Amino acid sequence: MSVAAPLAEALEPLRSEPSRSAVLLDVDGTLAPIVRHADDAHVPEPTRVSLIAVAKRYGLVACVSGRQAAIARRIVSLGTITYVGNHGAEILRGGATEVEHDPEISSWAPRVQEFARNAMTDELRRLRVREEDKDVIAALHWRGAPDEDAAEAAVMSVGAAAEAAGFWTHRGRKVLEIRPPLALDKGRGITRLLAGTDLDAALYAGDDLTDLDAFAALRAQRDEGALKTVLCVGVASDETPPALAESADVLVDGPAGVRALLSTLAA
């Protein structure tokens, strides 16, 4: 399936019973267009208006991000919905001010950050690699560096050193994350979020390899009988990983396609 009529047909199980449906959305590249500098990311107002309408109708609406939950909330600028941050390590519920941390993962934060501080060399700075402190995750970005190829090679060397030191790494769109050696992904966060809920259907939309874990978690919930209907939406771009396109039930065209999806859900 792709767009238009097939998409509307795929959304029907959620639209028919919105109070028993979950709408789960990645942020960067899905709600917010990818930008040269991550700090400049924001959700366009027309998308936010559609998201507000969806939030009023559906049983659970949440953004699931690789960023910290509080930062994801700032980018989306909607405090009434829930945010799953740091690839599942954090949950910031709608209206709440305190983040719920996954205790097994949070204990690793000091070690991850110490490694990242030591790894951030003058050479990386010269190449304009940007470090992002995400508490239990340290991210190195090379998008927009003057020589992206050289910056990427330098970051990959850091990644090899991190793995040799016992950490896990994860590569995204021009970013490498250094993580605790634990199962830490969006699927874990979604599983925590859905625990104890009483829903029949769920949709997840995302644009990167990290979103495959979210797809897998929802499909596992369906296979276990916790959900009746699952819809995995891939958000296409010129950087779409082939594995995402292959795994998605439906593809939409970039953040504009996600905005159209939200409008259909709200109609």
Side-chain angles (χ1 to χ4, degrees):
M1 290 186 289
S2 54
V3 293
L7 176 59
E9 181 181 335
L11 293 175
E12 191 53 36
L14 289 90
R15 296 177 66 203
S16 63
E17 290 192 89
S19 65
R20 298 188 59 79
S21 299
V23 178
L24 310 175
L25 305 156
D26 173 45
V27 177
D28 292 285
T30 299
L31 287 172
I34 293 291
V35 291
R36 185 179 181 91
H37 297 294
D39 290 345
D40 295 333
H42 71 282
V43 175
E45 188 60 20
T47 301
R48 207 175 73 86
V49 168
S50 294
L51 181 59
I52 290 170
V54 168
K56 291 176 179 178
R57 292 193 59 194
Y58 286 78
L60 173 63
V61 177
C63 291
V64 185
S65 177
R67 297 183 189 249
Q68 290 177 279
I71 293 175
R73 177 187 275 181
R74 176 179 59 77
I75 292 169
V76 178
S77 298
L78 183 57
T80 57
I81 65 174
T82 294
Y83 295 83
V84 178
N86 263 355
H87 296 290
E90 302 176 346
I91 295 179
L92 180 57
R93 299 187 188 275
T97 57
E98 295 294 324
V99 172
E100 301 169 20
H101 295 274
D102 186 317
E104 182 183 14
I105 295 170
S106 61
S107 66
W108 276 85
R111 282 171 280 186
V112 170
Q113 294 308 321
E114 181 182 10
F115 176 88
R117 283 194 301 272
N118 294 333
M120 197 62 191
T121 62
D122 289 341
E123 174 68 5
L124 289 179
R125 294 186 183 93
R126 183 186 69 79
L127 291 167
R128 306 287 179 84
V129 171
R130 300 185 307 281
E131 181 184 11
E132 183 184 3
D133 178 354
K134 300 199 288 185
D135 191 38
V136 297
I137 298 172
L140 298 175
H141 298 262
W142 63 90
R143 181 181 297 277
D147 185 341
E148 287 192 348
D149 291 340
E152 178 183 1
V155 170
M156 290 304 106
S157 294
V158 174
E163 291 178 357
F167 299 101
W168 287 359
T169 63
H170 191 282
R171 180 169 176 159
R173 292 169 63 174
K174 300 188 180 182
V175 60
L176 183 80
E177 294 182 336
I178 301 164
R179 302 179 173 189
L182 300 167
L184 172 58
D185 58 58
K186 292 181 178 180
R188 178 177 180 141
I190 284 173
T191 300
R192 285 181 63 211
L193 178 65
L194 294 180
T197 61
D198 184 20
L199 299 167
D200 290 332
L203 170 153
Y204 182 90
D207 73 308
D208 206 353
L209 290 174
T210 58
D211 299 305
L212 292 175
D213 297 312
F215 287 3
L218 286 187
R219 286 167 175 159
Q221 294 269 314
R222 180 190 60 200
D223 294 345
E224 293 164 8
L227 292 169
K228 295 178 182 176
T229 301
V230 165
L231 181 64
C232 298
V233 179
V235 182
S237 73
D238 56 4
E239 297 180 358
T240 301
L244 182 82
E246 293 166 5
S247 182
D249 300 317
V250 173
L251 284 174
V252 298
D253 189 11
V258 175
R259 181 163 64 246
L261 179 152
L262 292 172
S263 296
T264 301
L265 285 171

